[in-house]
Amino acid sequence: MTAFDANWSLMTPEIVLAALALLVFTIDFMTGIHGKKPFIGRLSVLSLLVTAVLVVVTNSTSGSIAEVFVVDPFAMVFKLIILIGVAMVILISMNFLDRERNAEVYQGEYYSIMLFAALGAMIMVSSADLITLFIGLEILSISSYVLAGFKKYSRPSTEAAIKYVVLGGTASAFILYGMSFLYGLTGSTSLLEIGQAIPMLFEEYTFVVMMSFLFMLAGFGFKISIVPFHMWAPDVYEGAPTPVTAFLSVVSKLAGFGIILRVFFLGFGGVYQEWAFIIAVIAAITMIAGNFIALTQTNVKRLMAYSGIAQAGYLLVPVATVVGDVGINMIVFYSVAYLMMTLGAFAVITLVTEDTGTSDLSSFAGLYQRAPYLAIAMTVFLVSLAGLPLTAGFIGKAYIFFGAVAGEMLWLAIIMIVTSVISFFYYFGFIKQMFMTDPRPNDKELAVPGSMQTVVTVSLAVTVILGILPGLVLDIFNTFNWMAFF
Amino acid sequence: MSTLHLVALAPFIMAIFIPFFYFKFRHIHTGWFILPLPLILFIYLIQYLPLGGGPMETVERSVPWVPSLDIHFTVFLDGLSLLFALLITGIGTLVVLYSIYYIANKKEEPLNNFYVYLMMFMGAMLGVVLSDNLIVIYVFWELTSLASSLLIAYWFHKEKSRYGAQKSMLITVTGGFAMLAGFSLLYMMTGTFSIREIITYGDAIVTSPLFLPAMILILLGAFTKSAQFPFHIWLPDAMEAPTPVSAYLHSATMVKAGIYLVARFTPVFGGAPEWFWIVTGFGLFTLLWGSVSAVRQKDLKGILAFSTVSQLGLIMSLLGLGSAAVHFDVVDGQSLYTVAVLAAVLHLINHATFKGSLFMVVGIIDHETGTRDIRKLGGLMTIMPVTFTISLIGIASMAGLPPFNGFLSKEMFFTGTLNSATLDIFNVQTLGVIFPAVAWIASIFTFVYCMIMLFKTFTGKHHPERLEKEAHEAPAGMLISPVILASLVIIFGFFPNLLAYTIIDPAMQSILPGLLEPGEQFYVNIYHWHGLNTELFMTMGVVFFGSMIFLNHRKWQETTFYLKERDPLNWFYDSGLVGLIKGSTVVNDVQMTGRLRDYFTYMFIFLVLGMGYMLWNTGALAVDMANTADISIYMYIITLSLVLATVVIPFVSSRISAIVLMGVIGFLVALLFVVFRAPDLALTQLLVETVMVVLFLLVFYHLPELKKETFKPAFRLTNFVISIGVGLVVTLTALSAHALSYENPISPISDYFVENAYALAGGNNIVNVILVDFRGLDTLLEVLVLGIVGLAVVVLIKFKAKKGEDV
């Protein structure tokens, strides 16, 4: 077998992360599973940062293991997004788990499962083979199911986990079903070979190819919560522990975009014209439904769920309009912006909702008087999510918007604009709560612990800096030849 | 980075330091620290004026911002931008000075917020008028929306402030987004974001199919910002802002940004009839609507707000009329139609002076009497003489009376409309008479509300008991700014040619480039007496009819028209918002049921629809029975029984019978396998089915009787449709696959195993060989999974045995 001649060093980051995750797991065993373990949290963050450094270092020797596991700029950037995202989620979690209310969570298990989830996502975005891809996806998914139900004595959390696992399992089945058609047609699971064979096969077996595409779209669409596969998101987001919600809405979703790009561009890229319209329609419905329903949400976590659905719609627009490196540029830039603004917002949300004990929007009343820095930071995140100037969200959205106009999908661009206006409505309501309402009578000044301060400050800085000087990363992205074999 | 960049950015830099000034020097009013900045900027900008005569030198400085997206922060200073920049900084200085006296330095007053927002506002406006790059303009444009709505909501404890802030924000930001869309269309046509480069493309843009969409989108941005009908509804609600802000917003910033945009894009779109008609039409209608609405306001600020709406309509319509000038030759620096542009620029300056002073005066009245309601005010002339004098000057100018500057521009406005009525292009011939007619009617109403403002406030009987405070003259500091503005009204009225070649001509050159030879100038000579011409008679008519209406105002005061103060168009905004919320709630309730089965429904509906569409669209739908095998009588019988058993299941009420029927289906399938000559499969199926049925029966025997659930017909129908849909699509897919496999024969996967089972694995039973050899690893893992499940079962049983213990 040639497998053992492969250049396994390409997998160094994954191997190291797996080892560190197991280490965290073992330490947890040795120290007893109960009680607070901030040091394990710190160790986990360290593991992620070490891995992130390794990812950057490994990239200089880009290549692939038997065209199954590839290391290319695309994989590198998505891995960095995943690792930084998870590291920030863990920083948020450390504060979350510190509270008496959440004492039921076994911290060591929580952190190690978080690390395994990151590992799954990394494998996923690096794979150019349907099997590896599915394995990565399932590692991520199963970890997510577990994480959603981590507050096991809380009914909403358990309900969230059950719903997630049942629907998620179905989505995985869809993906497998779709993949099976591809394998049946091409006799290969390699995206490279599939991509080469598809244009010819499409002539003869149009229906089968498109059916396979539809099933995979349904499955992947579930992971990134686009309409009509979004229903799980509000329910699960609401029930899951807040840092896990942050994880689901950022890391899980962006990793999902990673494989959508890989599979659709690499596998189905040859017949791009045939499916672009389907994606455009779904993007449009997603933007409309997400923003429209978000208008009346009074629960912050549900609001963020719908906002996240709408954001997924924006991210989907370049998939439908600009194939190739420029399209990936847009998606990756917006992903970075989305990572920062959403995680920053979730850090504030975690802090506020845990402090007041309710995730109702009214818990943000008068936040400006209780914690001015948090309120200002949150405003920047919301303004960025709404896509207003001088924030990373604006540049990202404008870039996508120009792509849509240039791709001659003017109707899609117009829907993007109209829905952005609608979105402004509920983001403005949020800001109004923080600045223009008096705090509730027994709410006192809000202390911001160090780990949260770090997350908020980093997100704020990146959101603003990328909004003012987007060239810092765009210039680097422009030099990338994103995907191997593409 | 040049000094001019710094001009736009200085207010922002200032904003950063404001909290420091505020908290460090708590006893000094923060405004004093701010005041020098706009003054310095104003003085700095004045030096760019061509004071020594001759055309103005334009300045351009560029700094790359996001070069990869062709976005450069280019500052471009020509006559038009200089005019606006001077207004912004000049009025800005006076507004800051005024605010120092208007907003007291009290503990509960967050002065630092006020000045941060104000500086943001100023910087953003300067950015809009100084930038050349469309994206940079857009960025600053949205910042003005943001800053102004923050200022409107400054006293956010008032519900009306929040309402006004949200309204202005939603309307102007929507317009901003539309404008961005228009900009991107321009980029598609020309490949550049620089306005000056876009202007050079000329015909390439006009002939493009995107020309009209781009124009309409950009005009949407301008109209929402400049409060043109029907988007003007945000402006009256914006008067909830502190009065210095209103003065600034109405006279020099925010609403003038839309005018700037239209003037700036006149060289790009100006020659087109659509531009002429849209800009003129909306402008004139807004002029009329605003002046008529202003008459029925009872709040002084309300009158001024609608007056601004109407005056902006006037300037807008002049820019529209003036755009026709590009089709005519200019002789001696003027043509019949350039006069409209001249009037627009002149009125822009005049409006800034008188509207600024009037707002400040109203602020003073509010400050000193505690009310702005004209039904409570009266007889202030003797109590507040200085205030009265300033008001008199400002109101006379607004009404268009000589010798004030408002008269000059009003006359010129009439001239412009009269000239345009003679146009022989754009089908003006038939409709041209409307222009002067509308202008004249609107001017009458303008005159009426001016009279209402003046007489209701300052004459008549004074009623101290109706006022919240005892009225007296304002402190001197508060009067400085309005006095300066009122003096300008007089100075520009008597010496209008001070402005002629210093600022009006350069601004006109930017609005109408290419009409003149290089080095030439527009002929600008403004004077009061033109002889007994039509314009003068029109003005006399305005005064006469206006006075008649005002003197008879008791009669129409009781009419419903007068009593309804609120603009009827607000209904659209308010009910639109309510409708949006209602719709959102309905959609939310309908689809977010929290039930998994509904969620599955959506996913399957999508797949059924998607696959059905694909079948139909790709022409894969091919039902071809030609190549099917013969069907024996046994098969018919078995299949019929299968169908029958399946159909009956949903209708049986007993659980046991349902299980038995399921079993029947299973056994029939086994029989089908027998008919197909697959004894091993049949055997397996029989075994599995038997075990299942027995297990089911056993389990259900021990379970308690469940409550019978009843479902709504709609729910049953949905289920029915879905099941039929899924069945139909799968059947069609199978049939199509069958039919197509004869068109494009594929070798079945089983051939490989038939050929190789014996050769490679040495087994005759192909199924066995596949299980233990070809797919040996799979089997091993399956066994492993079974083992794990077994373990789990054991654990669960143990868990039950030792009650209450954690595992």
Side-chain angles (χ1 to χ4, degrees), chain B residues 667-718:
Chain B
F667 291 126
L668 283 173
V669 171
L671 263 182
L672 210 55
F673 287 144
V674 173
V675 176
F676 281 131
R677 298 192 195 96
D680 46 351
L681 264 183
L683 204 61
T684 319
Q685 173 74 13
L686 262 178
L687 277 175
V688 170
E689 204 55 45
T690 313
V691 172
M692 285 246 293
V693 171
V694 169
L695 270 179
F696 259 132
L697 285 175
L698 264 179
V699 168
F700 278 120
Y701 179 75
H702 286 290
L703 284 179
E705 189 69 35
L706 282 175
K707 205 176 79 195
K708 184 81 183 155
E709 271 192 90
T710 48
F711 298 109
K712 283 182 192 158
F715 175 73
R716 283 165 168 270
L717 187 72
T718 322

Side-chain angles (χ1 to χ4, degrees), chain A residues 220-242:
Chain A
F220 292 142
F222 176 87
K223 303 290 173 197
I224 58 171
S225 68
I226 50 176
V227 181
F229 318 105
H230 65 289
M231 326 65 54
W232 64 277
D235 288 357
V236 174
Y237 281 21
E238 187 185 2
T242 316

Side-chain angles (χ1 to χ4, degrees), chain A residues 145 162-174 218 222 228-232 235, chain B residues 591 593-609 715 718-719 722-723 726:
Chain A
Y145 305 149
I162 292 285
K163 273 187 180 164
Y164 195 22
V165 77
V166 172
L167 289 167
T170 315
S172 296
F174 282 163
F222 176 87
F229 318 105
H230 65 289
M231 326 65 54
W232 64 277
D235 288 357
Chain B
Q591 57 106 39
T593 56
R595 283 196 294 262
L596 281 177
R597 63 169 178 240
D598 290 336
Y599 298 169
F600 277 123
T601 310
Y602 307 141
M603 302 212 305
F604 282 108
I605 286 177
F606 171 80
L607 283 174
V608 167
L609 286 180
F715 175 73
T718 322
N719 279 0
I722 291 170
S723 48
V726 170

